[in-house]
Amino acid sequence: MTTNPALERLGVTASPLAMLLLGRDADPGSERGVECPGDLPPAADPDLARRAAAAKAALGDDVFILGHHYQRDDVIAFADVTGDSFKLAQQAAARPAASAIVFCGVHFMAESADILTADHQRVILPDLAAGCSMADMATAEQVEQAWDDILDAGVATGTVPVSYMNSSAAIKAFTGRHGGTICTSSNAERALDWAFGERGGQRVIFLPDQHLGRNTAIDKLGMSEADCVVYDPRRPGGGLSRAQLRDARMILWRGHCSVHGRFTRECVDEVRERVPGVQVLVHPECRREVVSAADLVGSTEYIIKVVDEAPPGSSFAVGTELNLVQRLANRHPDKTIVFLDRTVCFCSTMNRIDMPHLVWALEALARGETVNRITVDPEVATYSRKALDQMLTLP
Ligand code: 13P
Ligand code: SF4
C-alpha cells in the first residue's frame, strides 16, 4: 500500500491497482487503445500547461474545449465549459462558430457532439482510447437481435427504445429508427414519462445501463422490481420468455458502469458508522441496493450543485468518479467530503485524456492539422440525430 494524503482525506486507500486504473503501467493490450500517430510530449514536461495555453490562445474562438466533470484537474483547467453529459451535448450544439471542438470526455460524447454539430465543425477526442466500458456492453448486432426477440413476442409496436447517452452512435441510430429517445442521468425521468405518455408506449427497452433504467423506473415512476426484466444479450432470447417480454414494463439491458458498480450497500453502512451525520450522495448508475440506501441521487451536475449549496459543516459521502469527488473536496475545505468506497475508483478511460494528449491535439490544430477526428457515418448520424433531438426537446 502507498500513502497519499489527498486520498486519505477522502477516506480512500491507494493501492498499486490505483496506478493501473489511472492507465499508468497498464498493459496496453488490455485497453481497446489506439497508438497516437504523433509525438506526444512527455508527461513529465513541466511546460505542458504553458504549451496548452499558448496553443489555445493562438486558436482563439476557432477552438472550443468541452470538459466532462470526470476529467483530471489539469485538463479541466483548459475547458471552456464543464458539464454533465446533457449540458455538454447542448453546448456542443450551441457553438456553430468554432471550427474545432476538442472533447475532453469519452468516445460516445464526442460522437454525439459530431452528430449535433454542423458539417464544417471537427470534433476531436485527444486520446482515441478514451472509450466507455458500459457503452461497449451493447453492440448494434446484439440490439437488433433483441428487437427481433421483441418482434417474435408480438410486442414491438408497444415497445419504445430509450437509450442512455452512454451508447454508441449505432445504438442511438437504432433508437431513432424505432421512434425512441436518448436520455442522460439528468433527464431519464422525463424521457420515461415521454415514452409512456406522449409516445404512447406500453413498455420501454432501456439501453445499456440496467441500473439507471431500474432506479428511474422505481424511484421516479413508481414501478416495482416486478415490472422490470433484464435482457442478457449473451443468452438466447435474452434469457427471457415471450411472456416475460410481453408482461414487462421495463426491459432493461444487462449493462452497467464498471466504476459505479463498485459501490455496495456495505459501503453505505460503513460510511454512516464512520462519519456521523453524513449524507450519502450517489449517481444513478449505482446499483439498486446503493441508490435505495442513499439520501440523495442525481447526475454529476446535480451532485456538484448539492455540495456547492450545502452549508459549511455539512458532510457528504459521494458515490461517483474520484476525480470529481477530489475536486469537490478541494473546493470545499469547510465541508467533510469523503469517497463512498474505501478504495480508489477512477474511470480509467476518462483518465486517458491527459495533458500530453491535450497539448498534442491543440498544437496540431494550431499548425493547421487535425488529429483524432471523430466522424459518424452520415446514415447513422441521421437517425441518431432524430433520437438526440427528441431528447433535447423533452419538456
Ligand atoms: P453524467 O455526467 O451525465 O451524470 O454522466 C456520468 C457518466 O458516467 C458519464 O460517463
Ligand atoms: Fe463509462 Fe462509467 Fe466511465 Fe462513465 S464512469 S465513462 S459510464 S465507465
Side-chain angles (χ1 to χ4, degrees), residues 145 147-156 242 246:
Q145 178 58 54
W147 192 251
D148 282 348
D149 293 334
I150 290 169
L151 275 166
D152 283 349
V155 291
R242 289 177 176 199
R246 257 196 319 268

Side-chain angles (χ1 to χ4, degrees), residues 68-70 83-86 106 108-109 132 164 166 184-186 257 260 283 285 298-301 350:
H68 187 266
H69 293 309
Y70 294 162
D84 63 4
S85 304
F86 181 68
V106 287
F108 69 78
M109 297 179 180
C132 164
Y164 193 22
N166 302 27
T184 70
S185 56
S186 59
C257 166
H260 292 90
H283 195 278
E285 286 175 16
S299 76
T300 53
E301 198 79 7
M350 282 277 182

Side-chain angles (χ1 to χ4, degrees), residues 100-121:
I101 301 219
V102 175
F103 214 120
C104 297
V106 287
H107 190 261
F108 69 78
M109 297 179 180
E111 275 189 335
S112 301
D114 181 56
I115 293 161
L116 290 166
T117 48
D119 288 349
H120 72 274
Q121 295 182 286

Side-chain angles (χ1 to χ4, degrees), residues 2 30 33 76 99 108 112 148 153 155 213 221 235 238 263 272 298 312 340 354-355:
T2 54
S30 69
I76 214 96
S99 74
F108 69 78
S112 301
D148 282 348
V155 291
L221 275 78
R235 296 179 61 191
F263 301 114
R272 288 201 194 280
L340 182 56
D354 57 9
M355 284 303 286

